[in-house]
Amino acid sequence: MIADLKPYAEYKESDAPWFGDVPGHWKIKRLGSVFAERSETNEKYEVAEVLSVLKDIGVIPYSEKGRIGNKQSEDIGRYKIVRPDDLVVNCMNVIIGSVGRSRYIGCLSPVYYVLKRRQSENLPRYLELVFQHKSFQRSLVRIGNGILAHRMRIPMEKLKAETFPLPPPDEQAAIVRFLDWANGRLEQAIRAKRKVIALLNEQKQAVIHRAVTRGLDPSVPLKPSGISWLGDIPQHWGTPLFGRLLTQVEQGWSPVAAEGELALDQWAVLTLSAVRRGVFNPSAIKPVSLAASIPRGIEVGDGDVLLTRSNTRDRVGDVCIVRTPRARTILCDLIYRLKVRTGAIIPEFLIYQLLSRVGRGQIERDARGSSGTMPKISQGHIKSWRILLPPVEEQLRIAEGIDADCAPVTTAISRLEREIELLREYRTRLVADVVTGKLDVREAAARLPDEAPPDTVGDDTDLPDEVETAEEEAAG
């Protein structure tokens, strides 16, 4: 059905480059004529539920947000009241996707704009879909105040002047009906692939755990480790503190990021996404301001062992070995570089051990974070972890054995992750084309069966895994 979609028969020009020409019968309005600001405040404390807006996720109760972003204010009397179907816009982060439609009665920090429909005939879901259009979000850069896109404030008076495409109400309903159906089908496919990935990761974890706690010889004599949570280990292995195997733990730097394309000779900084479950991603970087003075010694080098200092609970303490990094790339302050003693432990074996249940158990036990903050790992924590230590020659054999046993699983996981990425890209493109009138879905929507749309609550979208993408509350 999706493949059969075609453009409208007639189009007209608009003055908005982000959506271009629109169907001839659609209206082109200023945003301020579609939305009005809700002016209610919580000064009488009539609303107790505090809400939040997360990048690419939308409006959720603050209690469900977890340890992401800033702590809510103790004085919610200055917060703005939000009603169901209001559109909530983070004036500082809308450019990177912090916007969504509320399904709750609640209140929010003053950093948010709370928009209500001027005409009840307009569908809240359609209006939300337009705001979620990435080209629309990026187009707001030109009216923002600030240097960085993810900290650029969008003034309400300028936002109201933005051009907004508006089809007739019955067509809005057709668009919403079709996209909910299409998104449900795509979501089912993504979930199925994620379940397979989870099973493959469990299989991989079992291989790693067995190898780093018992070695490759099933008949090896064992001894009590003397550590209650560890149990027996091979008789000739040791269990030193990690600190005894390290010569240095370095924390990166927090430079001022730059906008635009990264020049070949420009410095860049790694983001947290560069470190993911033992794999280094050299393309997960951001440009550094040309005016920045780069400290010595923090350039990333081939073979560096990296560990994330702060992240979501399942990603804090994530590790990898740097392979073929881009020149003139530095560590960010949310990543540690671990320097191990020569001849004590090989990086490949170390990575597998920190990825194992033994390693993750210690990491997650020590991850610290107060309510509303990301868990963090200190250098003291790292040095206190117990490392299972066979002779170096055996470490090498174990790492090579894990590589061989996990290679088919790793390949399958990579293929599935790429398929999920393509499905997400396709979904984004489909939504963008439909809400801006590039594709006509009226007939397709009319042919859809009268059934409840597939459940898409708790969809495939992960919570943000980088501090810089988390929503920003107002200071104080």
Side-chain angles (χ1 to χ4, degrees), residues 19-49:
F19 66 81
D21 294 348
V22 296
H25 62 287
W26 284 25
K27 294 179 180 178
I28 302 173
K29 291 198 168 187
R30 296 300 173 189
L31 191 144
S33 68
V34 180
F35 295 98
E37 262 197 283
R38 185 175 294 282
S39 58
E40 297 175 85
T41 63
N42 200 33
E43 58 186 355
K44 295 182 179 179
Y45 291 88
E46 59 186 282
V47 175
E49 178 78 86

PDB file of all heavy atoms in Angstrom, residues 19-49:
ATOM      1  N   PHE A  19       9.317  23.048   3.696  1.00  0.00           N
ATOM      2  CA  PHE A  19       8.339  22.112   3.136  1.00  0.00           C
ATOM      3  C   PHE A  19       8.008  22.384   1.673  1.00  0.00           C
ATOM      4  O   PHE A  19       7.341  21.585   1.026  1.00  0.00           O
ATOM      5  CB  PHE A  19       7.071  22.018   3.996  1.00  0.00           C
ATOM      6  CG  PHE A  19       6.230  23.265   4.073  1.00  0.00           C
ATOM      7  CD1 PHE A  19       5.345  23.597   3.055  1.00  0.00           C
ATOM      8  CD2 PHE A  19       6.286  24.081   5.185  1.00  0.00           C
ATOM      9  CE1 PHE A  19       4.557  24.724   3.143  1.00  0.00           C
ATOM     10  CE2 PHE A  19       5.495  25.224   5.284  1.00  0.00           C
ATOM     11  CZ  PHE A  19       4.626  25.543   4.263  1.00  0.00           C
ATOM     12  N   GLY A  20       8.517  23.458   1.113  1.00  0.00           N
ATOM     13  CA  GLY A  20       8.396  23.683  -0.328  1.00  0.00           C
ATOM     14  C   GLY A  20       6.966  23.845  -0.799  1.00  0.00           C
ATOM     15  O   GLY A  20       6.113  24.410  -0.110  1.00  0.00           O
ATOM     16  N   ASP A  21       6.691  23.328  -1.994  1.00  0.00           N
ATOM     17  CA  ASP A  21       5.343  23.421  -2.568  1.00  0.00           C
ATOM     18  C   ASP A  21       4.367  22.556  -1.771  1.00  0.00           C
ATOM     19  O   ASP A  21       4.731  21.509  -1.229  1.00  0.00           O
ATOM     20  CB  ASP A  21       5.343  22.973  -4.021  1.00  0.00           C
ATOM     21  CG  ASP A  21       6.155  23.896  -4.922  1.00  0.00           C
ATOM     22  OD1 ASP A  21       6.514  25.000  -4.451  1.00  0.00           O
ATOM     23  OD2 ASP A  21       6.437  23.511  -6.069  1.00  0.00           O
ATOM     24  N   VAL A  22       3.095  23.004  -1.719  1.00  0.00           N
ATOM     25  CA  VAL A  22       2.056  22.255  -1.006  1.00  0.00           C
ATOM     26  C   VAL A  22       0.891  22.000  -1.961  1.00  0.00           C
ATOM     27  O   VAL A  22       0.738  22.689  -2.980  1.00  0.00           O
ATOM     28  CB  VAL A  22       1.559  23.026   0.233  1.00  0.00           C
ATOM     29  CG1 VAL A  22       2.670  23.182   1.244  1.00  0.00           C
ATOM     30  CG2 VAL A  22       0.980  24.380  -0.160  1.00  0.00           C
ATOM     31  N   PRO A  23       0.051  20.996  -1.657  1.00  0.00           N
ATOM     32  CA  PRO A  23      -1.127  20.766  -2.491  1.00  0.00           C
ATOM     33  C   PRO A  23      -1.955  22.033  -2.648  1.00  0.00           C
ATOM     34  O   PRO A  23      -2.068  22.845  -1.715  1.00  0.00           O
ATOM     35  CB  PRO A  23      -1.888  19.675  -1.704  1.00  0.00           C
ATOM     36  CG  PRO A  23      -0.810  18.926  -0.982  1.00  0.00           C
ATOM     37  CD  PRO A  23       0.191  19.982  -0.590  1.00  0.00           C
ATOM     38  N   GLY A  24      -2.513  22.200  -3.822  1.00  0.00           N
ATOM     39  CA  GLY A  24      -3.189  23.450  -4.162  1.00  0.00           C
ATOM     40  C   GLY A  24      -4.324  23.831  -3.245  1.00  0.00           C
ATOM     41  O   GLY A  24      -4.601  25.025  -3.064  1.00  0.00           O
ATOM     42  N   HIS A  25      -5.010  22.853  -2.637  1.00  0.00           N
ATOM     43  CA  HIS A  25      -6.174  23.165  -1.798  1.00  0.00           C
ATOM     44  C   HIS A  25      -5.808  23.326  -0.321  1.00  0.00           C
ATOM     45  O   HIS A  25      -6.680  23.619   0.498  1.00  0.00           O
ATOM     46  CB  HIS A  25      -7.246  22.077  -1.943  1.00  0.00           C
ATOM     47  CG  HIS A  25      -6.794  20.719  -1.497  1.00  0.00           C
ATOM     48  ND1 HIS A  25      -5.908  19.960  -2.211  1.00  0.00           N
ATOM     49  CD2 HIS A  25      -7.100  19.991  -0.391  1.00  0.00           C
ATOM     50  CE1 HIS A  25      -5.699  18.807  -1.581  1.00  0.00           C
ATOM     51  NE2 HIS A  25      -6.396  18.805  -0.475  1.00  0.00           N
ATOM     52  N   TRP A  26      -4.529  23.134   0.036  1.00  0.00           N
ATOM     53  CA  TRP A  26      -4.119  23.299   1.436  1.00  0.00           C
ATOM     54  C   TRP A  26      -3.984  24.787   1.754  1.00  0.00           C
ATOM     55  O   TRP A  26      -3.666  25.623   0.885  1.00  0.00           O
ATOM     56  CB  TRP A  26      -2.770  22.631   1.689  1.00  0.00           C
ATOM     57  CG  TRP A  26      -2.821  21.135   1.781  1.00  0.00           C
ATOM     58  CD1 TRP A  26      -3.744  20.297   1.232  1.00  0.00           C
ATOM     59  CD2 TRP A  26      -1.874  20.302   2.462  1.00  0.00           C
ATOM     60  NE1 TRP A  26      -3.444  19.001   1.511  1.00  0.00           N
ATOM     61  CE2 TRP A  26      -2.303  18.965   2.267  1.00  0.00           C
ATOM     62  CE3 TRP A  26      -0.716  20.545   3.196  1.00  0.00           C
ATOM     63  CZ2 TRP A  26      -1.601  17.874   2.801  1.00  0.00           C
ATOM     64  CZ3 TRP A  26      -0.023  19.475   3.724  1.00  0.00           C
ATOM     65  CH2 TRP A  26      -0.469  18.154   3.536  1.00  0.00           C
ATOM     66  N   LYS A  27      -4.170  25.125   3.026  1.00  0.00           N
ATOM     67  CA  LYS A  27      -3.945  26.484   3.487  1.00  0.00           C
ATOM     68  C   LYS A  27      -2.493  26.632   3.942  1.00  0.00           C
ATOM     69  O   LYS A  27      -1.869  25.673   4.392  1.00  0.00           O
ATOM     70  CB  LYS A  27      -4.874  26.821   4.654  1.00  0.00           C
ATOM     71  CG  LYS A  27      -6.346  26.865   4.276  1.00  0.00           C
ATOM     72  CD  LYS A  27      -7.208  27.189   5.496  1.00  0.00           C
ATOM     73  CE  LYS A  27      -8.691  27.226   5.119  1.00  0.00           C
ATOM     74  NZ  LYS A  27      -9.544  27.502   6.316  1.00  0.00           N
ATOM     75  N   ILE A  28      -1.969  27.820   3.797  1.00  0.00           N
ATOM     76  CA  ILE A  28      -0.635  28.151   4.317  1.00  0.00           C
ATOM     77  C   ILE A  28      -0.827  29.279   5.319  1.00  0.00           C
ATOM     78  O   ILE A  28      -1.207  30.385   4.947  1.00  0.00           O
ATOM     79  CB  ILE A  28       0.315  28.582   3.190  1.00  0.00           C
ATOM     80  CG1 ILE A  28       0.434  27.478   2.132  1.00  0.00           C
ATOM     81  CG2 ILE A  28       1.689  28.915   3.759  1.00  0.00           C
ATOM     82  CD1 ILE A  28       1.228  27.892   0.919  1.00  0.00           C
ATOM     83  N   LYS A  29      -0.583  28.972   6.590  1.00  0.00           N
ATOM     84  CA  LYS A  29      -0.869  29.934   7.650  1.00  0.00           C
ATOM     85  C   LYS A  29       0.391  30.258   8.445  1.00  0.00           C
ATOM     86  O   LYS A  29       1.398  29.560   8.363  1.00  0.00           O
ATOM     87  CB  LYS A  29      -1.942  29.374   8.596  1.00  0.00           C
ATOM     88  CG  LYS A  29      -3.319  29.259   7.962  1.00  0.00           C
ATOM     89  CD  LYS A  29      -4.365  29.125   9.038  1.00  0.00           C
ATOM     90  CE  LYS A  29      -5.768  29.298   8.468  1.00  0.00           C
ATOM     91  NZ  LYS A  29      -6.794  29.340   9.543  1.00  0.00           N
ATOM     92  N   ARG A  30       0.310  31.307   9.208  1.00  0.00           N
ATOM     93  CA  ARG A  30       1.345  31.602  10.175  1.00  0.00           C
ATOM     94  C   ARG A  30       1.065  30.794  11.431  1.00  0.00           C
ATOM     95  O   ARG A  30      -0.095  30.597  11.805  1.00  0.00           O
ATOM     96  CB  ARG A  30       1.388  33.098  10.501  1.00  0.00           C
ATOM     97  CG  ARG A  30       1.762  33.958   9.319  1.00  0.00           C
ATOM     98  CD  ARG A  30       3.135  33.610   8.783  1.00  0.00           C
ATOM     99  NE  ARG A  30       3.448  34.305   7.536  1.00  0.00           N
ATOM    100  CZ  ARG A  30       4.496  34.059   6.783  1.00  0.00           C
ATOM    101  NH1 ARG A  30       5.342  33.094   7.159  1.00  0.00           N
ATOM    102  NH2 ARG A  30       4.711  34.716   5.668  1.00  0.00           N
ATOM    103  N   LEU A  31       2.121  30.333  12.057  1.00  0.00           N
ATOM    104  CA  LEU A  31       1.959  29.454  13.207  1.00  0.00           C
ATOM    105  C   LEU A  31       1.121  30.106  14.299  1.00  0.00           C
ATOM    106  O   LEU A  31       0.337  29.440  14.984  1.00  0.00           O
ATOM    107  CB  LEU A  31       3.337  29.056  13.730  1.00  0.00           C
ATOM    108  CG  LEU A  31       3.416  27.947  14.761  1.00  0.00           C
ATOM    109  CD1 LEU A  31       4.664  27.100  14.531  1.00  0.00           C
ATOM    110  CD2 LEU A  31       3.433  28.502  16.180  1.00  0.00           C
ATOM    111  N   GLY A  32       1.259  31.417  14.454  1.00  0.00           N
ATOM    112  CA  GLY A  32       0.506  32.120  15.480  1.00  0.00           C
ATOM    113  C   GLY A  32      -0.985  32.129  15.258  1.00  0.00           C
ATOM    114  O   GLY A  32      -1.752  32.376  16.191  1.00  0.00           O
ATOM    115  N   SER A  33      -1.439  31.873  14.023  1.00  0.00           N
ATOM    116  CA  SER A  33      -2.879  31.798  13.759  1.00  0.00           C
ATOM    117  C   SER A  33      -3.417  30.384  13.957  1.00  0.00           C
ATOM    118  O   SER A  33      -4.626  30.175  13.949  1.00  0.00           O
ATOM    119  CB  SER A  33      -3.186  32.277  12.332  1.00  0.00           C
ATOM    120  OG  SER A  33      -2.675  31.363  11.381  1.00  0.00           O
ATOM    121  N   VAL A  34      -2.515  29.429  14.132  1.00  0.00           N
ATOM    122  CA  VAL A  34      -2.903  28.037  14.387  1.00  0.00           C
ATOM    123  C   VAL A  34      -2.858  27.740  15.883  1.00  0.00           C
ATOM    124  O   VAL A  34      -3.700  27.011  16.411  1.00  0.00           O
ATOM    125  CB  VAL A  34      -1.971  27.073  13.620  1.00  0.00           C
ATOM    126  CG1 VAL A  34      -2.362  25.616  13.889  1.00  0.00           C
ATOM    127  CG2 VAL A  34      -1.999  27.364  12.129  1.00  0.00           C
ATOM    128  N   PHE A  35      -1.877  28.329  16.575  1.00  0.00           N
ATOM    129  CA  PHE A  35      -1.690  28.085  18.012  1.00  0.00           C
ATOM    130  C   PHE A  35      -1.775  29.383  18.797  1.00  0.00           C
ATOM    131  O   PHE A  35      -1.409  30.450  18.309  1.00  0.00           O
ATOM    132  CB  PHE A  35      -0.303  27.479  18.283  1.00  0.00           C
ATOM    133  CG  PHE A  35      -0.084  26.118  17.692  1.00  0.00           C
ATOM    134  CD1 PHE A  35       0.587  25.966  16.487  1.00  0.00           C
ATOM    135  CD2 PHE A  35      -0.534  24.977  18.347  1.00  0.00           C
ATOM    136  CE1 PHE A  35       0.814  24.718  15.946  1.00  0.00           C
ATOM    137  CE2 PHE A  35      -0.318  23.721  17.816  1.00  0.00           C
ATOM    138  CZ  PHE A  35       0.359  23.581  16.612  1.00  0.00           C
ATOM    139  N   ALA A  36      -2.222  29.243  20.044  1.00  0.00           N
ATOM    140  CA  ALA A  36      -2.141  30.321  21.017  1.00  0.00           C
ATOM    141  C   ALA A  36      -1.381  29.786  22.226  1.00  0.00           C
ATOM    142  O   ALA A  36      -1.421  28.591  22.521  1.00  0.00           O
ATOM    143  CB  ALA A  36      -3.527  30.782  21.441  1.00  0.00           C
ATOM    144  N   GLU A  37      -0.671  30.677  22.922  1.00  0.00           N
ATOM    145  CA  GLU A  37       0.037  30.248  24.125  1.00  0.00           C
ATOM    146  C   GLU A  37      -0.951  30.067  25.273  1.00  0.00           C
ATOM    147  O   GLU A  37      -1.810  30.908  25.496  1.00  0.00           O
ATOM    148  CB  GLU A  37       1.089  31.283  24.521  1.00  0.00           C
ATOM    149  CG  GLU A  37       2.475  30.975  24.077  1.00  0.00           C
ATOM    150  CD  GLU A  37       3.516  31.787  24.824  1.00  0.00           C
ATOM    151  OE1 GLU A  37       3.656  32.972  24.495  1.00  0.00           O
ATOM    152  OE2 GLU A  37       4.181  31.223  25.705  1.00  0.00           O
ATOM    153  N   ARG A  38      -0.814  28.939  25.985  1.00  0.00           N
ATOM    154  CA  ARG A  38      -1.608  28.768  27.203  1.00  0.00           C
ATOM    155  C   ARG A  38      -0.945  29.585  28.309  1.00  0.00           C
ATOM    156  O   ARG A  38       0.243  29.422  28.583  1.00  0.00           O
ATOM    157  CB  ARG A  38      -1.686  27.292  27.588  1.00  0.00           C
ATOM    158  CG  ARG A  38      -2.613  27.048  28.776  1.00  0.00           C
ATOM    159  CD  ARG A  38      -2.773  25.579  29.078  1.00  0.00           C
ATOM    160  NE  ARG A  38      -3.463  24.863  28.008  1.00  0.00           N
ATOM    161  CZ  ARG A  38      -4.772  24.875  27.803  1.00  0.00           C
ATOM    162  NH1 ARG A  38      -5.559  25.614  28.601  1.00  0.00           N
ATOM    163  NH2 ARG A  38      -5.315  24.190  26.811  1.00  0.00           N
ATOM    164  N   SER A  39      -1.700  30.436  28.919  1.00  0.00           N
ATOM    165  CA  SER A  39      -1.130  31.391  29.876  1.00  0.00           C
ATOM    166  C   SER A  39      -1.283  30.959  31.330  1.00  0.00           C
ATOM    167  O   SER A  39      -0.871  31.673  32.234  1.00  0.00           O
ATOM    168  CB  SER A  39      -1.793  32.762  29.696  1.00  0.00           C
ATOM    169  OG  SER A  39      -3.200  32.653  29.867  1.00  0.00           O
ATOM    170  N   GLU A  40      -1.864  29.782  31.576  1.00  0.00           N
ATOM    171  CA  GLU A  40      -2.088  29.336  32.955  1.00  0.00           C
ATOM    172  C   GLU A  40      -0.777  29.011  33.654  1.00  0.00           C
ATOM    173  O   GLU A  40       0.097  28.349  33.083  1.00  0.00           O
ATOM    174  CB  GLU A  40      -2.971  28.088  32.980  1.00  0.00           C
ATOM    175  CG  GLU A  40      -4.363  28.272  32.441  1.00  0.00           C
ATOM    176  CD  GLU A  40      -5.117  26.955  32.403  1.00  0.00           C
ATOM    177  OE1 GLU A  40      -5.700  26.581  33.442  1.00  0.00           O
ATOM    178  OE2 GLU A  40      -5.097  26.279  31.352  1.00  0.00           O
ATOM    179  N   THR A  41      -0.657  29.440  34.882  1.00  0.00           N
ATOM    180  CA  THR A  41       0.488  29.048  35.705  1.00  0.00           C
ATOM    181  C   THR A  41      -0.021  28.266  36.913  1.00  0.00           C
ATOM    182  O   THR A  41      -1.213  28.290  37.232  1.00  0.00           O
ATOM    183  CB  THR A  41       1.289  30.270  36.178  1.00  0.00           C
ATOM    184  OG1 THR A  41       0.461  31.081  37.016  1.00  0.00           O
ATOM    185  CG2 THR A  41       1.793  31.079  34.993  1.00  0.00           C
ATOM    186  N   ASN A  42       0.903  27.625  37.590  1.00  0.00           N
ATOM    187  CA  ASN A  42       0.535  26.746  38.707  1.00  0.00           C
ATOM    188  C   ASN A  42       0.697  27.448  40.053  1.00  0.00           C
ATOM    189  O   ASN A  42       0.968  26.799  41.069  1.00  0.00           O
ATOM    190  CB  ASN A  42       1.422  25.487  38.659  1.00  0.00           C
ATOM    191  CG  ASN A  42       0.831  24.335  39.440  1.00  0.00           C
ATOM    192  OD1 ASN A  42      -0.384  24.179  39.508  1.00  0.00           O
ATOM    193  ND2 ASN A  42       1.691  23.532  40.042  1.00  0.00           N
ATOM    194  N   GLU A  43       0.503  28.760  40.054  1.00  0.00           N
ATOM    195  CA  GLU A  43       0.769  29.535  41.269  1.00  0.00           C
ATOM    196  C   GLU A  43      -0.139  29.136  42.432  1.00  0.00           C
ATOM    197  O   GLU A  43       0.208  29.339  43.607  1.00  0.00           O
ATOM    198  CB  GLU A  43       0.632  31.036  40.978  1.00  0.00           C
ATOM    199  CG  GLU A  43      -0.721  31.452  40.451  1.00  0.00           C
ATOM    200  CD  GLU A  43      -0.759  32.919  40.036  1.00  0.00           C
ATOM    201  OE1 GLU A  43       0.263  33.599  40.271  1.00  0.00           O
ATOM    202  OE2 GLU A  43      -1.772  33.360  39.484  1.00  0.00           O
ATOM    203  N   LYS A  44      -1.306  28.540  42.142  1.00  0.00           N
ATOM    204  CA  LYS A  44      -2.211  28.071  43.202  1.00  0.00           C
ATOM    205  C   LYS A  44      -1.976  26.599  43.535  1.00  0.00           C
ATOM    206  O   LYS A  44      -2.725  26.006  44.310  1.00  0.00           O
ATOM    207  CB  LYS A  44      -3.662  28.280  42.774  1.00  0.00           C
ATOM    208  CG  LYS A  44      -4.046  29.746  42.614  1.00  0.00           C
ATOM    209  CD  LYS A  44      -5.513  29.897  42.237  1.00  0.00           C
ATOM    210  CE  LYS A  44      -5.894  31.374  42.092  1.00  0.00           C
ATOM    211  NZ  LYS A  44      -7.325  31.513  41.701  1.00  0.00           N
ATOM    212  N   TYR A  45      -0.956  26.016  42.906  1.00  0.00           N
ATOM    213  CA  TYR A  45      -0.578  24.612  43.143  1.00  0.00           C
ATOM    214  C   TYR A  45      -1.756  23.651  42.902  1.00  0.00           C
ATOM    215  O   TYR A  45      -1.947  22.691  43.624  1.00  0.00           O
ATOM    216  CB  TYR A  45      -0.028  24.426  44.562  1.00  0.00           C
ATOM    217  CG  TYR A  45       1.311  25.101  44.764  1.00  0.00           C
ATOM    218  CD1 TYR A  45       1.373  26.434  45.170  1.00  0.00           C
ATOM    219  CD2 TYR A  45       2.495  24.434  44.518  1.00  0.00           C
ATOM    220  CE1 TYR A  45       2.585  27.086  45.338  1.00  0.00           C
ATOM    221  CE2 TYR A  45       3.719  25.069  44.683  1.00  0.00           C
ATOM    222  CZ  TYR A  45       3.760  26.394  45.093  1.00  0.00           C
ATOM    223  OH  TYR A  45       4.963  27.027  45.256  1.00  0.00           O
ATOM    224  N   GLU A  46      -2.538  23.951  41.868  1.00  0.00           N
ATOM    225  CA  GLU A  46      -3.686  23.092  41.573  1.00  0.00           C
ATOM    226  C   GLU A  46      -3.280  21.810  40.848  1.00  0.00           C
ATOM    227  O   GLU A  46      -4.052  20.860  40.789  1.00  0.00           O
ATOM    228  CB  GLU A  46      -4.706  23.863  40.735  1.00  0.00           C
ATOM    229  CG  GLU A  46      -4.157  24.381  39.395  1.00  0.00           C
ATOM    230  CD  GLU A  46      -5.164  25.269  38.672  1.00  0.00           C
ATOM    231  OE1 GLU A  46      -6.092  24.716  38.062  1.00  0.00           O
ATOM    232  OE2 GLU A  46      -5.024  26.505  38.762  1.00  0.00           O
ATOM    233  N   VAL A  47      -2.067  21.783  40.293  1.00  0.00           N
ATOM    234  CA  VAL A  47      -1.573  20.598  39.582  1.00  0.00           C
ATOM    235  C   VAL A  47      -0.317  20.096  40.279  1.00  0.00           C
ATOM    236  O   VAL A  47       0.619  20.864  40.520  1.00  0.00           O
ATOM    237  CB  VAL A  47      -1.254  20.935  38.110  1.00  0.00           C
ATOM    238  CG1 VAL A  47      -0.619  19.732  37.417  1.00  0.00           C
ATOM    239  CG2 VAL A  47      -2.516  21.357  37.377  1.00  0.00           C
ATOM    240  N   ALA A  48      -0.303  18.801  40.608  1.00  0.00           N
ATOM    241  CA  ALA A  48       0.852  18.221  41.304  1.00  0.00           C
ATOM    242  C   ALA A  48       1.760  17.439  40.370  1.00  0.00           C
ATOM    243  O   ALA A  48       2.946  17.258  40.665  1.00  0.00           O
ATOM    244  CB  ALA A  48       0.369  17.305  42.427  1.00  0.00           C
ATOM    245  N   GLU A  49       1.212  16.965  39.248  1.00  0.00           N
ATOM    246  CA  GLU A  49       1.992  16.135  38.320  1.00  0.00           C
ATOM    247  C   GLU A  49       2.951  17.004  37.513  1.00  0.00           C
ATOM    248  O   GLU A  49       2.543  17.902  36.776  1.00  0.00           O
ATOM    249  CB  GLU A  49       1.068  15.399  37.364  1.00  0.00           C
ATOM    250  CG  GLU A  49       1.764  14.537  36.324  1.00  0.00           C
ATOM    251  CD  GLU A  49       2.250  13.210  36.876  1.00  0.00           C
ATOM    252  OE1 GLU A  49       1.465  12.259  36.898  1.00  0.00           O
ATOM    253  OE2 GLU A  49       3.429  13.169  37.298  1.00  0.00           O
TER     254      GLU A  49
END
